Amino acid sequence: MAITLGPNQYGKAEVRLVTVDRDGPVHNLTDLTVSTALRGNLDATHLTGDNADVVATDTQKNTVYAFAKQAPVGEIEDFALRLGRHFTSSFEQITGARILIERHGWQRIDVGGTPHDHAFSRSGDERRTTAVTIADGQAWVVSGVSGLVVLKSTGSEFHGFPRDRYTTLAETSDRILATAVTARWRYRDVTGIDWSACHADARAALVETFATKHSLSLQQTLYAMGEAVLERRPEIAEVRLSLPNKHHFLVDLSPFGLSNDNEVFHAADRPYGLIEGTVLRDDAGDPGLAWHTLPAF
Ligand SMILES: O=c1[nH]c(=O)c2[nH]c(=O)[nH]c2[nH]1
């Protein structure tokens, strides 16, 4: 029996980086979670414990902080590309890098109608994300959004599904539809892209479509949301969506002699339906390693 080392990568996960950029008295905050992962010829450390080729994960973490000092962080996609290219160009044995960044939102606190210079409130759970892959001199960027919680209180139906002896779900022509959107979109190119504008347009396409598309299933809504992103931004080749169906069940108030006309719901947290899918152009092109080791959706 022969045993060999298979694919591997290593890095520092979830480096918490906050920068304060001072424009006179006005401060700008950047709050990121950065994960680095390196690949290459790392057989020796696994097979013999020889660490001569191992760029320590501690060094990777320090590099994230030092880069944030040496130049403005800027767009998360550019910051991730800089970090990935640094690791692969500085160390011969490192041939690939995957940099994941989540950007946490903060809003300026409004004091009597005036935005405060240096006080902020966190804008919920929503994160802007990017996953940059560098391998053999090539680069891929998959950006997105996660934790984007949306709900519509009507304009959603679900009926016409098969019934068997295990089916209890009532057909409905008026239900609450709610989800926490995880969306990832793959860019065709990594140069000349206005990352912020693409993010803003993609996000707007997602939420506007969720709001306006009359839904016969969350699957139909998923497809429409992905399609809207592709229609809005030609730079994007492919969109992957993961949509938990955050069920809101009508509470049976009849034991109390009360009717319930779609007014009182139980917001269940689990189990939940999980609707996932890809929407892509017919000329989406070869994704290369863009999705490699990322969740399928
Ligand atoms: O939009 C939905 N899609 C489903 O596949 C499904 N299954 C279910 O029980 N409720 C729903 N809703």
Side-chain angles (χ1 to χ4, degrees), residues 32-84:
L32 307 182
T33 300
V34 182
S35 298
T36 61
L38 305 184
R39 293 177 164 240
N41 183 3
L42 295 152
D43 288 6
T45 186
H46 291 93
L47 301 182
T48 69
D50 172 351
N51 296 324
D53 285 334
V54 180
V55 180
T57 69
D58 194 62
T59 305
Q60 297 178 40
K61 173 208 65 183
N62 292 343
T63 307
V64 171
Y65 289 127
F67 269 41
K69 166 66 187 175
Q70 285 166 344
V73 168
E75 302 273 4
I76 54 173
E77 289 84 358
D78 291 329
F79 190 54
L81 283 163
R82 283 205 295 281
L83 284 165

Side-chain angles (χ1 to χ4, degrees), residues 241-274:
L241 288 152
S242 177
L243 303 179
N245 193 352
K246 296 167 85 68
H247 302 300
H248 287 67
F249 297 114
L250 209 57
V251 178
D252 179 10
L253 299 175
S254 61
F256 323 119
L258 298 170
S259 64
N260 189 352
D261 192 16
N262 257 352
E263 297 157 285
V264 180
F265 298 86
H266 165 62
D269 73 337
R270 67 193 71 173
Y272 50 90
L274 185 57

Side-chain angles (χ1 to χ4, degrees), residues 158 169 175 217-219 245 247 275:
F158 188 64
L169 184 70
R175 66 174 182 175
S217 65
L218 188 48
Q219 288 87 334
N245 193 352
H247 302 300
I275 312 301

